[in-house]
């Protein structure tokens, strides 16, 4: 029998609630780790990917011998780290003679491997090799533009798959509305051939254009590299169907006495009961009111005594 441990502290309960399935999922976290052997180029690539996603990424620097994503049995450690860190995307780097400067980008569903894309890194340029005004450097957590240029992203299966994975890796949290002033960087992916993609990172500079929409200029800030697609593995149809399930949109409950107006916006009705002022108790008795009551009482007594005297005189 497996012993089920229940959280005892409030912090542990909140952490479990964060990891629980939700109707609207929050942004995906990225796990960055490496194999037994890496190169200087690959270490720089992993470090700069971590800096680009610093607000939603976990970086492991120790060597991992048991991780072999495309081999059976080599995914166990990777799935364990995914469950431990609550990350649904991972970037795994390794280097060998057969596959130099190798990157494996993958996604998980229910902390099990969903799909994989293996690319080789060539012509890498780090952020330090670019000279630009440091005021243009992107802010941490800002939303990026992502542009995919080339027909290969629509016709070649490998590049289609790579496009889906890169979108999940780079876009961050999904939002409905954006402030144009908060967009300060863009990722440009260009399909050079059927298996090669040029990737670069640019800062955006807003300038006056004479209209409401400003003119944008792109300044390359790095990193930039060529990604050569080597292997990829698509998810099973059953797993894809299960992962693509969405919750039915629940109809909004009608709020009583609230209506929407085109000009005034939200309009509400407030019902106030009739106020019975005459029966309201006064907070204090005024002196004038006491005197009036006393005079009325005395007048009433005199009226009662007058008829009695008349009766006596008549007798």
């Amino acid at each position: 029998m497996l012993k089920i441990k229940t959280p005892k502290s409030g912090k542990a309960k909140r952490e479990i609630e964060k990891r629980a399935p939700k109707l609207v999922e929050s942004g995906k976290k990225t796990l960055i780790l490496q194999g037994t052997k890496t190169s200087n180029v690959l270490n720089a690539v992993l470090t700069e990917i971590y800096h680009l996603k610093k607000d939603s990424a976990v970086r492991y620097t120790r060597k991992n011998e048991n991780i072999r994503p495309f081999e059976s049995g080599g995914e166990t450690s990777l799935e364990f780290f995914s469950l431990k860190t609550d990350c649904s995307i991972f970037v795994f780097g390794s280097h060998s003679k057969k596959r130099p400067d190798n990157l494996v980008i993958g996604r998980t569903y229910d902390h099990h491997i969903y799909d994989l894309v293996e690319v080789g890194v060539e012509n890498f340029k780090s952020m330090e090799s670019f000279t630009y005004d440091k005021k243009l450097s992107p802010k941490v957590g800002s939303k990026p533009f992502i542009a995919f240029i080339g027909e290969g992203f629509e016709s070649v299966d490998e590049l289609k798959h790579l496009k889906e994975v890169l979108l999940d890796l780079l876009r961050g949290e999904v939002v409905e509305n954006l402030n144009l002033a908060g967009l300060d960087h863009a990722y440009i992916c260009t399909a050079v051939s059927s298996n090669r993609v040029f990737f670069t990172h640019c800062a955006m500079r807003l300038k006056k254009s004479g209209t409401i929409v400003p003119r944008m200029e792109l300044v390359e800030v790095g990193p930039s590299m060529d990604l050569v697609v080597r292997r990829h593995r698509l998810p099973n149809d059953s797993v894809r169907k299960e992962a693509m399930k969405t919750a039915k949109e629940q109809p909004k409950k009608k709020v009583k006495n609230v209506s929407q107006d085109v000009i005034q916006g939200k309009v509400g009705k407030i019902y106030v009961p009739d106020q019975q002022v005459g029966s309201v108790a006064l907070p204090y008795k005024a002196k004038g009111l006491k005197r009036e009551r006393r005079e009325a009482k005395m007048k009433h007594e005199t009226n009662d005594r007058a008829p009695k005297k008349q009766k006596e005189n008549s007798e």
Side-chain angles (χ1 to χ4, degrees):
M1 295 292 292
L2 294 174
K3 185 179 179 181
I4 300 174
K5 295 183 179 180
T6 57
K8 296 181 180 179
S9 62
K11 184 178 180 181
K13 291 179 181 178
R14 289 191 295 271
E15 189 64 27
I16 289 177
E17 288 177 358
K18 286 181 182 179
R19 298 189 180 195
K22 305 177 184 64
L23 289 176
V24 180
E25 293 290 345
S26 56
K28 298 180 179 180
K29 292 173 63 179
T30 305
L31 175 64
I32 302 172
L33 66 172
Q34 61 197 41
T36 54
K37 188 177 180 182
T38 57
S39 62
N40 293 332
V41 173
L42 198 59
N43 287 333
V45 171
L46 294 176
T47 302
E48 300 211 354
I49 292 175
Y50 174 69
H51 283 300
L52 293 176
K53 293 183 61 64
K54 197 168 185 178
D55 59 331
S56 59
V58 178
R59 173 81 161 99
Y60 282 176
T61 56
R62 289 185 179 181
K63 296 180 180 180
N64 299 279
E65 300 178 358
N66 301 324
I67 297 179
R68 294 178 295 276
F70 281 91
E71 299 179 12
S72 61
E75 303 172 349
T76 307
S77 298
L78 196 57
E79 293 173 351
F80 169 75
F81 288 137
S82 172
L83 177 62
K84 182 180 178 181
T85 57
D86 193 26
C87 294
S88 56
I89 305 175
F90 65 88
V91 180
F92 176 74
S94 62
H95 179 76
S96 64
K97 186 177 180 180
K98 186 177 181 181
R99 295 185 179 88
D101 300 328
N102 198 54
L103 273 183
V104 178
I105 308 172
R107 297 178 290 182
T108 62
Y109 171 71
D110 196 18
H111 302 296
H112 295 286
I113 300 299
Y114 179 72
D115 60 352
L116 298 168
V117 177
E118 185 181 66
V119 295
V121 179
E122 296 180 2
N123 304 324
F124 171 73
K125 292 182 181 179
S126 64
M127 297 180 185
E128 298 175 355
S129 61
F130 293 90
T131 55
Y132 58 93
D133 188 2
K134 298 302 179 184
K135 293 181 181 178
L136 297 175
S137 56
K139 298 178 182 178
V140 178
S142 60
K143 288 289 291 182
F145 272 124
I146 306 175
F148 292 93
I149 304 170
E151 296 180 356
F153 290 113
E154 304 296 332
S155 58
V156 182
D157 293 337
E158 289 83 355
L159 296 187
K160 278 184 181 179
H161 191 195
L162 180 63
K163 177 183 176 181
E164 293 179 5
V165 175
L166 288 177
L167 270 175
D168 270 355
L169 177 66
L170 301 173
R171 69 180 178 179
E173 189 173 353
V174 179
V175 295
E176 294 182 358
N177 300 318
L178 277 177
N179 187 0
L180 188 60
L183 298 172
D184 55 1
H185 66 294
Y187 297 109
I188 312 298
C189 302
T190 307
V192 180
S193 63
S194 60
N195 68 336
R196 182 181 291 268
V197 173
F198 174 68
F199 172 85
T200 186
H201 180 217
C202 300
M204 296 193 319
R205 180 185 295 170
L206 302 179
K207 290 193 172 183
K208 294 181 180 179
S209 62
T211 60
I212 299 176
V213 181
R215 182 170 60 89
M216 292 187 181
E217 288 186 357
L218 296 179
V219 180
E220 197 169 5
V221 297
S224 69
M225 66 192 87
D226 288 340
L227 302 177
V228 182
V229 181
R230 291 173 177 167
R231 291 184 292 177
H232 76 113
R233 191 177 78 188
L234 295 170
N236 297 329
D237 293 336
S238 60
V239 178
R240 180 190 288 272
K241 186 176 180 181
E242 186 179 355
M244 293 296 179
K245 284 183 180 179
T246 55
K248 294 182 180 179
E249 294 184 359
Q250 297 180 354
K252 293 183 179 179
K253 293 183 178 179
K254 186 178 179 180
V255 183
K256 292 183 179 180
N257 304 325
V258 175
S259 60
Q260 293 290 337
D261 188 75
V262 179
I263 299 174
Q264 298 179 352
K266 185 183 287 188
V267 180
K269 293 181 180 179
I270 300 175
Y271 293 91
V272 181
D274 295 336
Q275 296 182 359
Q276 298 176 359
V277 182
S279 61
V280 176
L282 297 176
Y284 62 93
K285 295 182 179 180
K287 292 182 178 179
L289 184 62
K290 289 181 180 179
R291 185 169 58 251
E292 290 177 359
R293 289 180 178 175
R294 187 167 56 250
E295 291 176 354
K297 187 176 180 181
M298 292 174 63
K299 187 177 180 180
H300 182 67
E301 289 178 354
T302 54
N303 292 336
D304 290 344
R305 291 173 183 174
K308 292 182 180 178
K309 291 180 180 180
Q310 291 177 359
K311 288 180 180 179
E312 293 175 356
N313 294 332
S314 61
E315 290 176 356

